Amino acid sequence: MSRCMGTRFRRLPGLILAVLGLVIMGFGIYRGEMAVVLEKAVNICMECVGIG
Amino acid sequence: MDKEKKGWKRHGVQALWALLTNSYLAGFARGKIYQGKLKNLCVPGLNCYSCPGALGACPIGAVQAVIGSWNFKLAFYAAGFLMFVGALAGRFVCGWLCPFGLIQDLLHKIPFPEKIGTFRGDRLLRKLKYVILIVFVILLPMFLVDVLGQGAPYFCKLICPAGTLEGGIPLVLLNESMRSALGWLYAWKNVLLLITIVLSVMIYRPFCKYICPLGAVYSVFNPISVFRYRVDEKKCTGCGICAKVCGMQVDPAENANHPECIRCGACKKSCPVKAIH
Ligand code: SF4
Ligand code: SF4
């Protein structure tokens, strides 16, 4: 029982941060950042390739 | 033998994930990249979005793209994604879901007379990935900008060997027009790739240990991530076998959730008393 509780508490910070991560992600999507990511990802990235 | 088999089971998962997320085969045939909506989404591992097969966006590329754009500067979407994945799984992603991790794993299977475990300065050199994250992924794209206020993705441009291997080489081979545009930068990136390949044969995952900014991000979450290891102190005899088998030079009996642990599971399998859970 106590080990169970211990495990749960050990996992709490991770769970809280995961939820916070989702909220931050949502804020970024709301600001329209996804469009920038898409724009970059669907065009050949010259820097990645090593040309530009 | 059984342990060997289980090692290959992990490589099977890595390969399956790499294939799934890079399954736009038409891209390899035509020398083009996938341009559909899925590219809105980041993948968890280091996977160049200019790989002809890539279906998703590289999170480190995404961070730099948004930071370097003239109107945003702070990358909440990609940073939140990294926080979400990191908080749930930490560097489990490195051990199981990163195509460039798989490539290094396979390269390290090539026999070499003196494989290098650790060396003087190893611990210090591991901090380099944090410097690369801060300087090349965040500060340079944010502050080294052109007249329009746009910063280049400096990690992709000057360092990333995954981009060269997954995007640069196939696209250049498949496109005549690109071949005519090659210059010193392409040569430099190929030299870095070659060094990475040679070192990967000698040292286990040198890119992950010393260079990768994505590994640096996930490593910060390792000690608190939901998926984590635990050593049963009552069972552990302190034999040290787990530390000996660890390619990342972690001693799980001392710290089972060390920032360098990629959750490959080698220690867990080797423990004679099954003390690692
Ligand atoms: S450290 Fe980087 S390259 Fe290595 S497995 Fe993790 S994300 Fe992939
Ligand atoms: S501590 Fe264990 S799971 Fe982590 S990298 Fe080492 S062998 Fe793999």
Side-chain angles (χ1 to χ4, degrees):
Chain A
M1 179 70 181
S2 76
R3 179 186 288 172
C4 213
M5 288 290 282
T7 308
R8 216 168 282 161
F9 278 120
R10 264 203 308 271
R11 293 202 166 136
L12 199 62
L15 283 171
I16 291 171
L17 282 182
V19 173
L20 194 64
L22 278 180
V23 172
I24 293 173
M25 222 170 121
F27 178 63
I29 294 169
Y30 167 76
R31 289 208 313 162
E33 289 175 19
M34 245 186 180
V36 178
V37 173
L38 183 68
E39 164 88 16
K40 183 76 185 166
V42 296
N43 293 298
I44 291 178
C45 163
M46 288 304 175
E47 293 91 349
C48 305
V49 171
I51 292 180
Chain B
M1 183 65 193
D2 195 37
K3 272 178 211 158
E4 271 285 285
K5 246 194 233 157
K6 282 184 188 156
W8 282 103
K9 203 167 102 186
R10 180 171 68 90
H11 299 324
V13 174
Q14 290 172 295
L16 198 68
W17 180 258
L19 283 176
L20 266 178
T21 47
N22 293 280
S23 56
Y24 184 65
L25 298 180
F28 290 104
R30 293 196 216 122
K32 298 222 155 59
I33 62 169
Y34 168 72
Q35 296 189 304
K37 289 265 187 311
L38 279 175
K39 281 241 168 116
N40 270 304
L41 306 174
C42 292
V43 287
L46 198 77
N47 194 146
C48 187
Y49 36 37
S50 284
C51 169
L55 293 181
C58 170
I60 288 295
V63 168
Q64 293 170 91
V66 178
I67 287 181
S69 69
W70 63 271
N71 52 341
F72 285 115
K73 295 293 160 204
L74 292 175
F76 290 102
Y77 165 50
F81 172 81
L82 293 178
M83 192 181 211
F84 174 68
V85 176
L88 285 184
R91 288 190 87 179
F92 170 83
V93 172
C94 302
W96 295 78
L97 301 176
C98 176
F100 205 61
L102 169 65
I103 290 166
Q104 291 170 85
D105 278 355
L106 297 179
L107 283 168
H108 197 65
K109 293 196 183 292
I110 298 172
F112 186 77
E114 276 303 310
K115 295 266 182 192
I116 301 166
T118 189
F119 51 88
R120 244 169 78 130
D122 178 17
R123 292 277 140 199
L124 191 64
L125 210 53
R126 305 249 184 155
K127 309 274 183 259
L128 181 62
K129 57 181 174 289
Y130 301 100
V131 177
I132 288 175
L133 169 67
I134 291 166
V135 175
F136 289 87
V137 177
I138 300 172
L139 295 180
L140 288 180
M142 194 177 274
F143 295 113
L144 196 59
V145 294
D146 61 15
V147 282
L148 298 172
Q150 299 179 128
Y154 284 97
F155 173 73
C156 303
K157 183 171 178 168
L158 300 174
I159 301 175
C160 187
T164 314
L165 182 69
E166 297 163 6
I169 292 177
L171 286 177
V172 163
L173 284 177
L174 294 164
N175 288 287
E176 174 88 58
S177 57
M178 277 192 168
R179 281 201 289 279
S180 57
L182 300 183
W184 68 270
L185 190 59
Y186 189 74
W188 162 250
K189 288 198 68 187
N190 272 279
V191 169
L192 286 186
L193 173 63
L194 194 70
I195 294 173
T196 308
I197 291 173
V198 173
L199 283 181
S200 299
V201 177
M202 298 155 63
I203 302 171
Y204 184 67
R205 290 198 182 213
F207 179 78
C208 305
K209 282 175 179 166
Y210 312 118
I211 310 291
C212 184
L214 188 51
V217 173
Y218 289 144
S219 76
V220 173
F221 292 97
N222 240 12
I224 52 101
S225 63
V226 175
F227 175 69
R228 50 174 38 230
Y229 282 168
R230 189 178 64 82
V231 175
D232 187 335
E233 281 164 22
K234 287 199 200 96
K235 279 190 187 168
C236 176
T237 59
C239 67
I241 291 176
C242 53
K244 262 191 219 123
V245 298
C246 178
M248 298 298 284
Q249 283 75 45
V250 170
D251 181 354
E254 197 184 286
N255 180 2
N257 295 292
H258 192 280
E260 290 294 309
C261 168
I262 57 168
R263 313 273 197 243
C264 71
C267 54
K268 207 171 148 184
K269 274 176 288 177
S270 69
C271 177
V273 292
K274 302 277 168 267
I276 306 175
H277 304 278

PDB file of all heavy atoms in Angstrom, chain B residues 227-258:
ATOM      1  N   PHE B 227       7.299   7.610 -16.830  1.00  0.00           N
ATOM      2  CA  PHE B 227       7.919   6.310 -17.063  1.00  0.00           C
ATOM      3  C   PHE B 227       9.350   6.372 -16.533  1.00  0.00           C
ATOM      4  O   PHE B 227      10.155   7.187 -16.984  1.00  0.00           O
ATOM      5  CB  PHE B 227       7.929   5.966 -18.556  1.00  0.00           C
ATOM      6  CG  PHE B 227       8.680   4.687 -18.849  1.00  0.00           C
ATOM      7  CD1 PHE B 227       8.173   3.464 -18.432  1.00  0.00           C
ATOM      8  CD2 PHE B 227       9.907   4.715 -19.486  1.00  0.00           C
ATOM      9  CE1 PHE B 227       8.871   2.297 -18.658  1.00  0.00           C
ATOM     10  CE2 PHE B 227      10.615   3.550 -19.723  1.00  0.00           C
ATOM     11  CZ  PHE B 227      10.096   2.338 -19.300  1.00  0.00           C
ATOM     12  N   ARG B 228       9.650   5.588 -15.568  1.00  0.00           N
ATOM     13  CA  ARG B 228      10.958   5.643 -14.916  1.00  0.00           C
ATOM     14  C   ARG B 228      11.346   4.269 -14.372  1.00  0.00           C
ATOM     15  O   ARG B 228      10.538   3.348 -14.313  1.00  0.00           O
ATOM     16  CB  ARG B 228      10.914   6.646 -13.773  1.00  0.00           C
ATOM     17  CG  ARG B 228       9.704   6.377 -12.892  1.00  0.00           C
ATOM     18  CD  ARG B 228       9.592   7.203 -11.636  1.00  0.00           C
ATOM     19  NE  ARG B 228       9.998   8.557 -11.762  1.00  0.00           N
ATOM     20  CZ  ARG B 228      10.859   9.139 -10.912  1.00  0.00           C
ATOM     21  NH1 ARG B 228      11.346   8.447  -9.912  1.00  0.00           N
ATOM     22  NH2 ARG B 228      11.171  10.388 -11.041  1.00  0.00           N
ATOM     23  N   TYR B 229      12.595   4.148 -13.994  1.00  0.00           N
ATOM     24  CA  TYR B 229      13.070   2.901 -13.398  1.00  0.00           C
ATOM     25  C   TYR B 229      13.142   3.038 -11.886  1.00  0.00           C
ATOM     26  O   TYR B 229      13.267   4.139 -11.353  1.00  0.00           O
ATOM     27  CB  TYR B 229      14.471   2.569 -13.933  1.00  0.00           C
ATOM     28  CG  TYR B 229      14.476   1.965 -15.326  1.00  0.00           C
ATOM     29  CD1 TYR B 229      15.666   1.836 -16.038  1.00  0.00           C
ATOM     30  CD2 TYR B 229      13.307   1.521 -15.918  1.00  0.00           C
ATOM     31  CE1 TYR B 229      15.679   1.285 -17.306  1.00  0.00           C
ATOM     32  CE2 TYR B 229      13.311   0.967 -17.175  1.00  0.00           C
ATOM     33  CZ  TYR B 229      14.496   0.849 -17.871  1.00  0.00           C
ATOM     34  OH  TYR B 229      14.505   0.308 -19.119  1.00  0.00           O
ATOM     35  N   ARG B 230      13.094   1.896 -11.240  1.00  0.00           N
ATOM     36  CA  ARG B 230      13.236   1.877  -9.782  1.00  0.00           C
ATOM     37  C   ARG B 230      14.090   0.668  -9.411  1.00  0.00           C
ATOM     38  O   ARG B 230      13.916  -0.409  -9.982  1.00  0.00           O
ATOM     39  CB  ARG B 230      11.850   1.759  -9.146  1.00  0.00           C
ATOM     40  CG  ARG B 230      11.811   1.942  -7.649  1.00  0.00           C
ATOM     41  CD  ARG B 230      10.366   1.853  -7.165  1.00  0.00           C
ATOM     42  NE  ARG B 230       9.804   0.523  -7.414  1.00  0.00           N
ATOM     43  CZ  ARG B 230      10.004  -0.527  -6.605  1.00  0.00           C
ATOM     44  NH1 ARG B 230      10.722  -0.422  -5.511  1.00  0.00           N
ATOM     45  NH2 ARG B 230       9.459  -1.689  -6.906  1.00  0.00           N
ATOM     46  N   VAL B 231      15.023   0.874  -8.505  1.00  0.00           N
ATOM     47  CA  VAL B 231      15.844  -0.254  -8.071  1.00  0.00           C
ATOM     48  C   VAL B 231      15.367  -0.696  -6.691  1.00  0.00           C
ATOM     49  O   VAL B 231      15.277   0.115  -5.764  1.00  0.00           O
ATOM     50  CB  VAL B 231      17.344   0.124  -8.021  1.00  0.00           C
ATOM     51  CG1 VAL B 231      18.169  -1.021  -7.442  1.00  0.00           C
ATOM     52  CG2 VAL B 231      17.847   0.489  -9.410  1.00  0.00           C
ATOM     53  N   ASP B 232      15.031  -1.960  -6.585  1.00  0.00           N
ATOM     54  CA  ASP B 232      14.579  -2.513  -5.311  1.00  0.00           C
ATOM     55  C   ASP B 232      15.817  -2.733  -4.433  1.00  0.00           C
ATOM     56  O   ASP B 232      16.599  -3.660  -4.655  1.00  0.00           O
ATOM     57  CB  ASP B 232      13.854  -3.845  -5.571  1.00  0.00           C
ATOM     58  CG  ASP B 232      13.197  -4.385  -4.304  1.00  0.00           C
ATOM     59  OD1 ASP B 232      13.663  -4.031  -3.206  1.00  0.00           O
ATOM     60  OD2 ASP B 232      12.228  -5.161  -4.439  1.00  0.00           O
ATOM     61  N   GLU B 233      15.977  -1.825  -3.458  1.00  0.00           N
ATOM     62  CA  GLU B 233      17.187  -1.874  -2.629  1.00  0.00           C
ATOM     63  C   GLU B 233      17.298  -3.167  -1.828  1.00  0.00           C
ATOM     64  O   GLU B 233      18.395  -3.597  -1.485  1.00  0.00           O
ATOM     65  CB  GLU B 233      17.223  -0.674  -1.686  1.00  0.00           C
ATOM     66  CG  GLU B 233      17.699   0.580  -2.405  1.00  0.00           C
ATOM     67  CD  GLU B 233      17.400   1.853  -1.647  1.00  0.00           C
ATOM     68  OE1 GLU B 233      17.210   1.779  -0.414  1.00  0.00           O
ATOM     69  OE2 GLU B 233      17.351   2.900  -2.303  1.00  0.00           O
ATOM     70  N   LYS B 234      16.164  -3.768  -1.537  1.00  0.00           N
ATOM     71  CA  LYS B 234      16.198  -5.009  -0.751  1.00  0.00           C
ATOM     72  C   LYS B 234      16.772  -6.148  -1.587  1.00  0.00           C
ATOM     73  O   LYS B 234      17.419  -7.049  -1.067  1.00  0.00           O
ATOM     74  CB  LYS B 234      14.787  -5.361  -0.272  1.00  0.00           C
ATOM     75  CG  LYS B 234      14.319  -4.443   0.837  1.00  0.00           C
ATOM     76  CD  LYS B 234      13.156  -5.083   1.592  1.00  0.00           C
ATOM     77  CE  LYS B 234      12.387  -4.037   2.337  1.00  0.00           C
ATOM     78  NZ  LYS B 234      11.206  -3.552   1.608  1.00  0.00           N
ATOM     79  N   LYS B 235      16.528  -6.100  -2.893  1.00  0.00           N
ATOM     80  CA  LYS B 235      17.020  -7.171  -3.759  1.00  0.00           C
ATOM     81  C   LYS B 235      18.444  -6.922  -4.254  1.00  0.00           C
ATOM     82  O   LYS B 235      19.211  -7.855  -4.449  1.00  0.00           O
ATOM     83  CB  LYS B 235      16.100  -7.303  -4.979  1.00  0.00           C
ATOM     84  CG  LYS B 235      14.828  -8.082  -4.750  1.00  0.00           C
ATOM     85  CD  LYS B 235      14.186  -8.312  -6.107  1.00  0.00           C
ATOM     86  CE  LYS B 235      12.817  -8.944  -6.011  1.00  0.00           C
ATOM     87  NZ  LYS B 235      12.143  -8.879  -7.321  1.00  0.00           N
ATOM     88  N   CYS B 236      18.782  -5.661  -4.504  1.00  0.00           N
ATOM     89  CA  CYS B 236      20.074  -5.322  -5.121  1.00  0.00           C
ATOM     90  C   CYS B 236      21.238  -5.782  -4.246  1.00  0.00           C
ATOM     91  O   CYS B 236      21.296  -5.474  -3.053  1.00  0.00           O
ATOM     92  CB  CYS B 236      20.161  -3.817  -5.349  1.00  0.00           C
ATOM     93  SG  CYS B 236      21.750  -3.286  -6.000  1.00  0.00           S
ATOM     94  N   THR B 237      22.173  -6.542  -4.848  1.00  0.00           N
ATOM     95  CA  THR B 237      23.322  -7.045  -4.097  1.00  0.00           C
ATOM     96  C   THR B 237      24.553  -6.175  -4.314  1.00  0.00           C
ATOM     97  O   THR B 237      25.616  -6.456  -3.771  1.00  0.00           O
ATOM     98  CB  THR B 237      23.654  -8.489  -4.552  1.00  0.00           C
ATOM     99  OG1 THR B 237      23.945  -8.445  -5.955  1.00  0.00           O
ATOM    100  CG2 THR B 237      22.501  -9.444  -4.289  1.00  0.00           C
ATOM    101  N   GLY B 238      24.420  -5.161  -5.147  1.00  0.00           N
ATOM    102  CA  GLY B 238      25.557  -4.280  -5.421  1.00  0.00           C
ATOM    103  C   GLY B 238      26.630  -4.934  -6.276  1.00  0.00           C
ATOM    104  O   GLY B 238      27.796  -4.555  -6.200  1.00  0.00           O
ATOM    105  N   CYS B 239      26.235  -5.905  -7.105  1.00  0.00           N
ATOM    106  CA  CYS B 239      27.239  -6.633  -7.900  1.00  0.00           C
ATOM    107  C   CYS B 239      27.863  -5.782  -9.000  1.00  0.00           C
ATOM    108  O   CYS B 239      28.956  -6.073  -9.481  1.00  0.00           O
ATOM    109  CB  CYS B 239      26.615  -7.885  -8.522  1.00  0.00           C
ATOM    110  SG  CYS B 239      25.373  -7.507  -9.782  1.00  0.00           S
ATOM    111  N   GLY B 240      27.159  -4.721  -9.437  1.00  0.00           N
ATOM    112  CA  GLY B 240      27.725  -3.804 -10.443  1.00  0.00           C
ATOM    113  C   GLY B 240      27.575  -4.259 -11.887  1.00  0.00           C
ATOM    114  O   GLY B 240      28.077  -3.593 -12.795  1.00  0.00           O
ATOM    115  N   ILE B 241      26.884  -5.374 -12.107  1.00  0.00           N
ATOM    116  CA  ILE B 241      26.724  -5.865 -13.486  1.00  0.00           C
ATOM    117  C   ILE B 241      25.961  -4.847 -14.340  1.00  0.00           C
ATOM    118  O   ILE B 241      26.310  -4.593 -15.493  1.00  0.00           O
ATOM    119  CB  ILE B 241      25.999  -7.241 -13.484  1.00  0.00           C
ATOM    120  CG1 ILE B 241      26.929  -8.299 -12.890  1.00  0.00           C
ATOM    121  CG2 ILE B 241      25.569  -7.651 -14.897  1.00  0.00           C
ATOM    122  CD1 ILE B 241      26.309  -9.677 -12.738  1.00  0.00           C
ATOM    123  N   CYS B 242      24.920  -4.243 -13.738  1.00  0.00           N
ATOM    124  CA  CYS B 242      24.105  -3.280 -14.496  1.00  0.00           C
ATOM    125  C   CYS B 242      24.959  -2.120 -14.992  1.00  0.00           C
ATOM    126  O   CYS B 242      24.817  -1.680 -16.138  1.00  0.00           O
ATOM    127  CB  CYS B 242      22.950  -2.772 -13.640  1.00  0.00           C
ATOM    128  SG  CYS B 242      23.469  -2.108 -12.051  1.00  0.00           S
ATOM    129  N   ALA B 243      25.841  -1.619 -14.152  1.00  0.00           N
ATOM    130  CA  ALA B 243      26.687  -0.494 -14.555  1.00  0.00           C
ATOM    131  C   ALA B 243      27.640  -0.911 -15.667  1.00  0.00           C
ATOM    132  O   ALA B 243      27.945  -0.124 -16.562  1.00  0.00           O
ATOM    133  CB  ALA B 243      27.463   0.023 -13.338  1.00  0.00           C
ATOM    134  N   LYS B 244      28.099  -2.158 -15.604  1.00  0.00           N
ATOM    135  CA  LYS B 244      29.052  -2.639 -16.621  1.00  0.00           C
ATOM    136  C   LYS B 244      28.419  -2.750 -17.995  1.00  0.00           C
ATOM    137  O   LYS B 244      29.058  -2.474 -19.002  1.00  0.00           O
ATOM    138  CB  LYS B 244      29.619  -4.001 -16.198  1.00  0.00           C
ATOM    139  CG  LYS B 244      30.965  -3.859 -15.534  1.00  0.00           C
ATOM    140  CD  LYS B 244      31.621  -5.202 -15.362  1.00  0.00           C
ATOM    141  CE  LYS B 244      32.316  -5.237 -14.012  1.00  0.00           C
ATOM    142  NZ  LYS B 244      31.895  -6.296 -13.131  1.00  0.00           N
ATOM    143  N   VAL B 245      27.156  -3.148 -18.061  1.00  0.00           N
ATOM    144  CA  VAL B 245      26.526  -3.336 -19.381  1.00  0.00           C
ATOM    145  C   VAL B 245      26.016  -2.021 -19.982  1.00  0.00           C
ATOM    146  O   VAL B 245      25.680  -1.985 -21.165  1.00  0.00           O
ATOM    147  CB  VAL B 245      25.345  -4.347 -19.355  1.00  0.00           C
ATOM    148  CG1 VAL B 245      25.804  -5.718 -18.933  1.00  0.00           C
ATOM    149  CG2 VAL B 245      24.207  -3.848 -18.496  1.00  0.00           C
ATOM    150  N   CYS B 246      25.967  -0.973 -19.174  1.00  0.00           N
ATOM    151  CA  CYS B 246      25.365   0.266 -19.666  1.00  0.00           C
ATOM    152  C   CYS B 246      26.256   0.990 -20.671  1.00  0.00           C
ATOM    153  O   CYS B 246      27.358   1.427 -20.332  1.00  0.00           O
ATOM    154  CB  CYS B 246      25.033   1.210 -18.506  1.00  0.00           C
ATOM    155  SG  CYS B 246      24.336   2.761 -19.098  1.00  0.00           S
ATOM    156  N   GLY B 247      25.763   1.137 -21.873  1.00  0.00           N
ATOM    157  CA  GLY B 247      26.515   1.823 -22.921  1.00  0.00           C
ATOM    158  C   GLY B 247      26.630   3.317 -22.675  1.00  0.00           C
ATOM    159  O   GLY B 247      27.492   3.983 -23.240  1.00  0.00           O
ATOM    160  N   MET B 248      25.712   3.855 -21.862  1.00  0.00           N
ATOM    161  CA  MET B 248      25.742   5.300 -21.587  1.00  0.00           C
ATOM    162  C   MET B 248      26.562   5.605 -20.326  1.00  0.00           C
ATOM    163  O   MET B 248      26.600   6.744 -19.863  1.00  0.00           O
ATOM    164  CB  MET B 248      24.312   5.829 -21.414  1.00  0.00           C
ATOM    165  CG  MET B 248      23.443   5.675 -22.645  1.00  0.00           C
ATOM    166  SD  MET B 248      24.039   6.584 -24.097  1.00  0.00           S
ATOM    167  CE  MET B 248      23.591   8.283 -23.693  1.00  0.00           C
ATOM    168  N   GLN B 249      27.185   4.579 -19.762  1.00  0.00           N
ATOM    169  CA  GLN B 249      28.018   4.700 -18.556  1.00  0.00           C
ATOM    170  C   GLN B 249      27.249   5.239 -17.350  1.00  0.00           C
ATOM    171  O   GLN B 249      27.718   6.094 -16.604  1.00  0.00           O
ATOM    172  CB  GLN B 249      29.268   5.569 -18.814  1.00  0.00           C
ATOM    173  CG  GLN B 249      30.363   4.864 -19.575  1.00  0.00           C
ATOM    174  CD  GLN B 249      30.042   4.713 -21.057  1.00  0.00           C
ATOM    175  OE1 GLN B 249      29.596   5.657 -21.680  1.00  0.00           O
ATOM    176  NE2 GLN B 249      30.248   3.541 -21.611  1.00  0.00           N
ATOM    177  N   VAL B 250      26.034   4.736 -17.194  1.00  0.00           N
ATOM    178  CA  VAL B 250      25.228   5.091 -16.024  1.00  0.00           C
ATOM    179  C   VAL B 250      25.344   3.936 -15.034  1.00  0.00           C
ATOM    180  O   VAL B 250      25.469   2.780 -15.439  1.00  0.00           O
ATOM    181  CB  VAL B 250      23.744   5.280 -16.433  1.00  0.00           C
ATOM    182  CG1 VAL B 250      22.839   5.417 -15.231  1.00  0.00           C
ATOM    183  CG2 VAL B 250      23.600   6.485 -17.352  1.00  0.00           C
ATOM    184  N   ASP B 251      25.298   4.266 -13.738  1.00  0.00           N
ATOM    185  CA  ASP B 251      25.217   3.200 -12.735  1.00  0.00           C
ATOM    186  C   ASP B 251      23.794   3.223 -12.172  1.00  0.00           C
ATOM    187  O   ASP B 251      23.488   4.025 -11.282  1.00  0.00           O
ATOM    188  CB  ASP B 251      26.246   3.447 -11.623  1.00  0.00           C
ATOM    189  CG  ASP B 251      26.203   2.328 -10.578  1.00  0.00           C
ATOM    190  OD1 ASP B 251      25.297   1.459 -10.673  1.00  0.00           O
ATOM    191  OD2 ASP B 251      27.056   2.331  -9.678  1.00  0.00           O
ATOM    192  N   PRO B 252      22.921   2.371 -12.696  1.00  0.00           N
ATOM    193  CA  PRO B 252      21.515   2.425 -12.279  1.00  0.00           C
ATOM    194  C   PRO B 252      21.315   2.160 -10.792  1.00  0.00           C
ATOM    195  O   PRO B 252      20.366   2.679 -10.192  1.00  0.00           O
ATOM    196  CB  PRO B 252      20.838   1.338 -13.104  1.00  0.00           C
ATOM    197  CG  PRO B 252      21.837   0.799 -14.037  1.00  0.00           C
ATOM    198  CD  PRO B 252      23.182   1.290 -13.658  1.00  0.00           C
ATOM    199  N   ALA B 253      22.194   1.355 -10.193  1.00  0.00           N
ATOM    200  CA  ALA B 253      22.031   1.060  -8.771  1.00  0.00           C
ATOM    201  C   ALA B 253      22.227   2.333  -7.941  1.00  0.00           C
ATOM    202  O   ALA B 253      21.659   2.490  -6.869  1.00  0.00           O
ATOM    203  CB  ALA B 253      23.037  -0.001  -8.342  1.00  0.00           C
ATOM    204  N   GLU B 254      23.019   3.250  -8.493  1.00  0.00           N
ATOM    205  CA  GLU B 254      23.271   4.506  -7.782  1.00  0.00           C
ATOM    206  C   GLU B 254      22.187   5.535  -8.109  1.00  0.00           C
ATOM    207  O   GLU B 254      21.706   6.252  -7.238  1.00  0.00           O
ATOM    208  CB  GLU B 254      24.637   5.021  -8.236  1.00  0.00           C
ATOM    209  CG  GLU B 254      25.239   6.074  -7.340  1.00  0.00           C
ATOM    210  CD  GLU B 254      26.531   6.566  -7.943  1.00  0.00           C
ATOM    211  OE1 GLU B 254      27.532   5.811  -7.881  1.00  0.00           O
ATOM    212  OE2 GLU B 254      26.534   7.676  -8.506  1.00  0.00           O
ATOM    213  N   ASN B 255      21.836   5.638  -9.396  1.00  0.00           N
ATOM    214  CA  ASN B 255      20.790   6.572  -9.817  1.00  0.00           C
ATOM    215  C   ASN B 255      20.057   5.965 -11.016  1.00  0.00           C
ATOM    216  O   ASN B 255      20.539   6.013 -12.144  1.00  0.00           O
ATOM    217  CB  ASN B 255      21.411   7.929 -10.186  1.00  0.00           C
ATOM    218  CG  ASN B 255      20.359   8.936 -10.625  1.00  0.00           C
ATOM    219  OD1 ASN B 255      19.159   8.638 -10.627  1.00  0.00           O
ATOM    220  ND2 ASN B 255      20.799  10.126 -10.991  1.00  0.00           N
ATOM    221  N   ALA B 256      18.903   5.411 -10.744  1.00  0.00           N
ATOM    222  CA  ALA B 256      18.171   4.701 -11.798  1.00  0.00           C
ATOM    223  C   ALA B 256      17.534   5.657 -12.807  1.00  0.00           C
ATOM    224  O   ALA B 256      17.080   5.223 -13.863  1.00  0.00           O
ATOM    225  CB  ALA B 256      17.102   3.816 -11.173  1.00  0.00           C
ATOM    226  N   ASN B 257      17.496   6.943 -12.483  1.00  0.00           N
ATOM    227  CA  ASN B 257      16.881   7.897 -13.413  1.00  0.00           C
ATOM    228  C   ASN B 257      17.842   9.021 -13.770  1.00  0.00           C
ATOM    229  O   ASN B 257      17.480  10.194 -13.840  1.00  0.00           O
ATOM    230  CB  ASN B 257      15.577   8.431 -12.805  1.00  0.00           C
ATOM    231  CG  ASN B 257      14.574   7.310 -12.669  1.00  0.00           C
ATOM    232  OD1 ASN B 257      14.082   6.776 -13.660  1.00  0.00           O
ATOM    233  ND2 ASN B 257      14.304   6.900 -11.425  1.00  0.00           N
ATOM    234  N   HIS B 258      19.074   8.619 -14.010  1.00  0.00           N
ATOM    235  CA  HIS B 258      20.138   9.549 -14.380  1.00  0.00           C
ATOM    236  C   HIS B 258      19.799  10.232 -15.706  1.00  0.00           C
ATOM    237  O   HIS B 258      19.221   9.591 -16.597  1.00  0.00           O
ATOM    238  CB  HIS B 258      21.442   8.734 -14.513  1.00  0.00           C
ATOM    239  CG  HIS B 258      22.658   9.586 -14.600  1.00  0.00           C
ATOM    240  ND1 HIS B 258      23.036  10.194 -15.780  1.00  0.00           N
ATOM    241  CD2 HIS B 258      23.591   9.921 -13.677  1.00  0.00           C
ATOM    242  CE1 HIS B 258      24.152  10.876 -15.565  1.00  0.00           C
ATOM    243  NE2 HIS B 258      24.509  10.730 -14.297  1.00  0.00           N
TER     244      HIS B 258
END
